[in-house]
Amino acid sequence: MTGAAPSGATPTGPTPTGPTDRDGRAGGRRLLGALLIYVVLAFLLTGSAWRDPTNRWIGNCCDQEQAMWYLAWLPTALETGQNPLITDRLNAPDGANLMWNTPTTLIAVVAAPLTRTVGPILTYNVVLFAAVVLSGLACYAALRRYAVRPLGPLVGGALYELSPYLASQASIHLNLTNVWAPPLFLILLDELFVRRRHRPELIGIALGVLGAVQLLTFEEILATSAVTGALLVLLMALVVRDRQLIVDATMRGLRALVPGLATFLLLVGLPLGIQFLGPQQIHGRLLPTDFFSTDLLNLVVPGQRELLAPGALTNLWGGASGHDRGAGAYVGLPLLLVLGCIVLTLRRDRRVVIAGGVAVAMFVFSLGPGLRVAGQALHVPLPWLPIGNLPLLEHALPSRLALYMWLAIAALVAIGIDHALAVGGRGAAVRLAAIGAGLLFIVPTPLSSSTAPVPAFFQHWSDQGIASNETILVAPWFTDGAGANPMLWAAVAEARPRLREGFVFVPGRNGRARYGPPPGALGQLMIDLQDTGIRPVLRESDRTAARRELAQQGISVVIVGPMRHYDEMVAMFTDLLGAPPVVTGGVALWRDVPGLLAAMGSPPS
C-alpha cells in the first residue's frame, strides 16, 4: 500500500519520509529539543507533587498506593526467590494472581534500583513523570514520518501528551499513563505495509518484542492496540483500493506473522500461562463495561481535567469526577471545527482520510456497548457490543479507547500544521492561529497531589520481629475507593507484610472478580465502623463470629494504623481480643492473636 500524498501532490504520490536532514545530528538535536519541551510540559502538569516528592504523589486515591505496592513487590519477590507474578502478601492465605491485575511488571523491573534507594512514593512520581514524557516523545517520533517540517509533529506529540485522556489517567493510573507503545506500533505497521524498507520477518520480530513489552506493562493496551491496528490496516486497504498493493501487503503481513507470534510467545508465554493456567484465575468481566464507557456529551462537554471547564458544563454529563469512564474523550467544539476544516481541505490526502476514519471509529468504540447521553443509558446498541464480547477483549473498558482517537487527532493536527506552513504567508498565520485556538480548549489543569501518613512502624519493618509467614489484619479494611493506605504502608515496608486484605483483584466464590477477600463478620464490623464512625455494640454472637474469623484465617497480628475513627477501631479490637494494644511506631498493635483468643477460650470452629 502506498501512503498518502503530501499537500500539493497527487493522491497517489509518495508518503513524506519525515526528517530529510542529511546530517543525522540535526534530527538528533530536534529529538532532544522535543524531549526537553515534553519534560517542561510534564512538569507543568505534575508540578504539585514535586514540592515534596518523597511524601506526596501525583494524583489522588487510591490506585497510586496500589501501584506503589507493585513497584515495591517485584524487587522483594526477586530477592526472596518468589514468583513476581503470584503473591501471598495480599489476600492471605490464598494470595493473588497479579497477571489479572495491573502490576506494570516491566516498569517495576526497570525502577527496582530506584525503589530500593528512594522508596516507593518518589519512584512512583518519577516513573509516572517519565511515562508522560515518553508518550509524547513516541508520538512525536511517529508523526515525523508524516510531516516534512518538525513543528507539526512537535505540536502533535504535545497534544498526545496533554490530551484529556492522558491527563485524566495520569491523575490515577500508572499503567494507563504508559501509552508510548501505540505510536511505536504505528511506526512498525508503517514500515511493514507502507515504506517496506525492511524484511517483513524483521518487522514481525520487532512487533513481537514490542507486544511482549506492552503485555508486561499493561495487557489491556496490547489488546486494544491490536483492535486499532486491525482497523487501521482495513482502512488503508479501503482507501488505497489497489488490488495488487493489497495482495502484496497481505503477503508481507503473513510473512511477519509467524516470527512475530513466535517471538511474542517466547518472551511472555510463561506469564500468560500463569494467568490462564495458574492459581487464583478470574472468570467473567473484571469491571462493568457499560459503566466505563464514554458519554456522548463528553465529546463537546469538558470534564474537570480541562483548564477551561465551567462546573455547570461538567455536571451536564456527570463528568465532574474526572474518572476515566468518560473524561478522556473531550474534544470540544472549537477543536472539532478545526479538525473538520483540516479533513475538508485535505480530503484527497490519504493520511488525512485514514487518520480521520480512525479518530471517528475509536470515538464510537469508546461509547461502549450501548449509548449513554447525559448519564442516561438509552439502550441503543453500538459497534463495540460484539467486539467487547470477544475473549480477552471482554475485559477492555471502552472509555479507554479514546487513547487511539487522540493519537489519530494528533496526526491530523500535525498534518494540518505542515500544510499550513507549506501554504505560507498570511494564510499560514490564519490557519496556525485557528489550530492554536482549538487546542487551547483542551489544555489540562495541573494535577493535584496527595499524601498519607506512614507510621514509623512500617518504615522500620525489619526491626518489628514479625515473621514472613504471619498473617496480618490491618485496619482500615480496604473497600473500593477507600482504605488503601495499608497498601502504601506495606509498600514502604518493601511489600514484606503478609496482609489478610489488599487492593487486588481475586476470584470470589463464583470465580467473578472482587477486590480482596470477602469481608466476614469481623470485616463487616470494620467496614461499618469506618463508614459511620460509630463503635458497634457487640453482642456475644458478634464476638464469637469475629473471633472465629480471626482463628480460621490464621491471623496472628492485628494492626490499627492512622485512620478516621482510629479510637473507635482500637476500642472495638480491645473488646474483641480482651486486651489493650501496644502503641508503637504510630500504630496500635496486638501480637500473638492466637494466644489472646486461647486466653478467652477457643472459639468454635
Side-chain angles (χ1 to χ4, degrees), residues 142 145-146 181-196 198 200 202-211 232 252 256:
R145 308 171 76 82
Y146 307 111
L184 301 182
F185 280 124
L186 176 59
I187 291 173
L188 291 175
L189 290 177
D190 182 61
E191 284 291 341
L192 179 62
F193 293 118
V194 179
R195 299 172 193 273
R196 308 183 186 189
H198 304 284
L202 295 178
I203 302 299
I205 292 172
L207 283 167
V209 172
L210 182 58
L232 173 64
R252 285 182 61 84

Side-chain angles (χ1 to χ4, degrees), residues 411-502:
L412 289 172
V413 168
I415 295 168
I417 291 175
D418 206 47
H419 173 73
L421 293 174
V423 170
R426 182 176 299 178
V430 171
R431 287 172 169 81
L432 293 176
I435 293 172
L439 296 178
L440 182 64
F441 285 86
I442 63 148
V443 172
T445 188
L447 300 178
S448 61
S449 61
S450 305
T451 188
V454 178
F457 185 86
F458 290 95
Q459 297 176 35
H460 303 283
W461 182 257
S462 60
D463 300 330
Q464 305 308 330
I466 297 176
S468 63
N469 63 347
E470 293 191 73
T471 301
I472 305 164
L473 178 65
V474 180
W477 183 286
F478 173 77
T479 56
D480 186 7
N485 284 353
M487 294 289 286
L488 170 62
W489 304 338
V492 171
E494 298 183 344
R496 297 182 188 275
R498 188 171 184 254
L499 304 183
R500 168 61 186 145
E501 313 113 286

Side-chain angles (χ1 to χ4, degrees), residues 500-565:
R500 168 61 186 145
E501 313 113 286
F503 184 7
V504 61
F505 276 130
V506 297
R509 290 188 179 92
N510 58 0
R512 302 287 178 174
R514 60 163 295 112
Y515 287 124
L522 176 55
Q524 195 58 55
L525 288 173
M526 295 171 65
I527 292 170
D528 292 343
L529 192 156
Q530 291 165 200
D531 290 344
T532 66
I534 300 173
R535 177 188 167 189
V537 178
L538 300 180
R539 298 166 297 180
E540 191 56 35
S541 59
D542 296 325
R543 293 187 180 89
T544 299
R547 291 167 183 167
R548 182 185 298 117
E549 184 177 335
L550 288 167
Q552 290 176 340
Q553 300 300 332
I555 293 168
S556 58
V557 178
V558 170
I559 298 173
V560 177
M563 59 177 291
R564 286 194 311 157
H565 317 307

Side-chain angles (χ1 to χ4, degrees), residues 207-221:
L207 283 167
V209 172
L210 182 58
V213 167
Q214 181 57 67
L215 183 133
L216 294 176
T217 303
F218 185 44
E219 196 168 358
E220 181 181 320
I221 289 181

Side-chain angles (χ1 to χ4, degrees), residues 84-110:
L85 301 179
I86 299 175
T87 183
D88 68 344
R89 301 293 97 179
L90 303 173
N91 191 47
D94 297 324
N97 187 328
L98 297 185
M99 283 299 295
W100 286 102
N101 288 271
T102 57
T104 55
T105 304
L106 186 66
I107 295 171
V109 169
V110 173

